[in-house]
Amino acid sequence: MTVWFTPSSDPADARLALDALASVFADGPVLLLTGAGISTDSGIPDYRGPDSPPRNPMRIDQYLHDESYRRRFWAGARVGFDALHVEPNAGHRAAAALETSGMLTGIATQNVDGLHQRAGARRVVELHGSGATIRCVEHGHRWSRAEVLTWFDTANPGFAEANAGARIAPDGDAEVEGVAGVVVPVCPACGGMLRPDVVYFGEHVPREVFAAAETLLSDAAGLLIAGSSLAVNTGVRLVHRATRRELPIGVINRGPTAADARASVRIEGGVSETLSGLAARLL
Ligand SMILES: [Zn+2]
């Protein structure tokens, strides 16, 4: 049976909701599974949330098979990078505080923004990779996005300055023009094609990454999901494992999730304020 709580201005209701959520921690540390909803308060849009603008992000097969998409990607990434000032929010800080206090076995996140780690969390499994990391397709040589963008500047002198006024798009992208002559950076170790170290729609989470998340769950006495509708399969697989072990499951999200029927506690509300309240209640 699921206990539901919806936003209310009554502080007594909010206290009851946090008490119920705290019960997920009754038998020991919990795995925290997070999605885009925890980063919206940092200004990163949630494409699947109820208020999301319609958008068609590039597909990875377009990138891998068409040089014009790669030119467009790197040109946008270069100009968008300068405007990418994103900071962890109260939700990330609450999650880090819970982890530091031994209330979490770790955090498995579907986000690629690195904000959990920047807030001080240490045991973080990035299910969909890291947007700050670039790897070569063939050999997996890894580089930071920042250093690849300096190679872009060397190969395309004046481009960033000429496009400094371009409209900024989400995810460190920008609406740049004149990309036909752009030289795409390649791997300095092997000369091969570079790509973001991110799991795109239609790609699979690497086996060893999912195994690391499973380990965090097998050490846990509960599962708390925050800011994810669980539209992607990886999260659902973790919920199935928790259900099989009859672990308590808490869900904090705005809008329906694939785990609603299996949740013991379901909070229909914002992640930052709920996690902050939970940390204050538990710590
Ligand atoms: Zn390489």
Side-chain angles (χ1 to χ4, degrees), residues 17-57:
L18 292 178
D19 285 348
L21 209 50
S23 71
V24 175
F25 292 76
D27 295 330
V30 160
L31 170 64
L32 177 62
L33 171 62
T34 66
I38 195 172
S39 290
T40 48
D41 286 344
S42 290
I44 298 175
D46 175 3
Y47 302 122
R48 293 194 185 89
D51 305 320
S52 309
R55 185 168 178 256
N56 287 314

Side-chain angles (χ1 to χ4, degrees), residues 24-131:
V24 175
F25 292 76
D27 295 330
V30 160
L31 170 64
L32 177 62
L33 171 62
T34 66
I38 195 172
S39 290
T40 48
D41 286 344
S42 290
I44 298 175
D46 175 3
Y47 302 122
R48 293 194 185 89
D51 305 320
S52 309
R55 185 168 178 256
N56 287 314
M58 179 195 70
R59 297 199 319 268
I60 189 65
D61 58 315
Q62 294 170 321
Y63 178 95
L64 293 174
H65 300 297
D66 187 337
E67 173 91 7
S68 69
Y69 279 93
R70 294 194 288 277
R71 283 197 287 267
R72 168 73 192 75
F73 173 86
W74 284 106
R78 173 60 189 89
V79 176
F81 190 71
D82 289 340
L84 199 61
H85 300 301
V86 188
E87 297 295 331
N89 63 51
H92 299 107
R93 288 193 292 274
L98 288 169
E99 192 216 336
T100 305
S101 311
M103 308 292 288
L104 302 180
T105 59
I107 300 168
T109 185
Q110 297 167 336
N111 301 333
V112 300
D113 53 36
L115 293 178
H116 279 301
Q117 298 92 320
R118 282 179 51 202
R122 284 189 294 265
R123 290 184 304 276
V124 180
V125 175
E126 296 180 299
L127 292 166
H128 294 169
S130 164

Side-chain angles (χ1 to χ4, degrees), residues 4-280:
W4 276 78
F5 293 92
T6 46
S8 158
S9 53
D10 185 344
D13 281 356
R15 254 199 320 276
L16 283 175
L18 292 178
D19 285 348
L21 209 50
S23 71
V24 175
F25 292 76
D27 295 330
V30 160
L31 170 64
L32 177 62
L33 171 62
T34 66
I38 195 172
S39 290
T40 48
D41 286 344
S42 290
I44 298 175
D46 175 3
Y47 302 122
R48 293 194 185 89
D51 305 320
S52 309
R55 185 168 178 256
N56 287 314
M58 179 195 70
R59 297 199 319 268
I60 189 65
D61 58 315
Q62 294 170 321
Y63 178 95
L64 293 174
H65 300 297
D66 187 337
E67 173 91 7
S68 69
Y69 279 93
R70 294 194 288 277
R71 283 197 287 267
R72 168 73 192 75
F73 173 86
W74 284 106
R78 173 60 189 89
V79 176
F81 190 71
D82 289 340
L84 199 61
H85 300 301
V86 188
E87 297 295 331
N89 63 51
H92 299 107
R93 288 193 292 274
L98 288 169
E99 192 216 336
T100 305
S101 311
M103 308 292 288
L104 302 180
T105 59
I107 300 168
T109 185
Q110 297 167 336
N111 301 333
V112 300
D113 53 36
L115 293 178
H116 279 301
Q117 298 92 320
R118 282 179 51 202
R122 284 189 294 265
R123 290 184 304 276
V124 180
V125 175
E126 296 180 299
L127 292 166
H128 294 169
S130 164
T133 306
I134 304 298
R135 72 167 196 264
C136 77
V137 172
E138 194 157 353
H139 300 106
H141 298 126
R142 279 172 163 74
W143 315 94
S144 77
R145 177 179 289 237
E147 66 185 327
V148 175
L149 290 175
T150 65
W151 309 335
F152 178 94
D153 283 343
T154 305
N156 300 277
F159 182 88
E161 291 78 3
N163 282 274
R167 215 171 126 210
I168 299 304
D171 298 341
D173 191 11
E175 295 175 11
V176 289
E177 287 171 8
V179 300
V182 161
V183 178
V184 173
V186 295
C187 178
C190 69
M193 189 194 297
L194 294 171
R195 58 162 288 175
D197 193 20
V198 162
V199 178
Y200 281 87
F201 183 77
E203 294 189 302
H204 295 289
V205 174
R207 190 182 302 266
E208 66 277 12
V209 173
F210 187 73
E214 275 185 311
T215 300
L216 293 180
L217 182 61
S218 65
D219 293 342
L223 174 64
L224 179 60
I225 299 157
S228 173
S229 61
L230 297 173
V232 285
N233 186 39
T234 321
V236 175
R237 283 163 68 196
L238 291 171
V239 171
H240 285 163
R241 278 158 176 72
T243 304
R244 270 210 296 277
R245 287 177 48 209
E246 300 184 349
L247 299 182
I249 299 175
V251 178
I252 309 161
N253 197 51
R254 283 203 176 98
T257 85
D260 287 352
R262 297 164 185 267
S264 12
V265 184
R266 172 70 168 87
I267 312 277
E268 174 67 32
V271 173
S272 291
E273 60 264 38
T274 309
L275 277 185
S276 303
L278 180 68

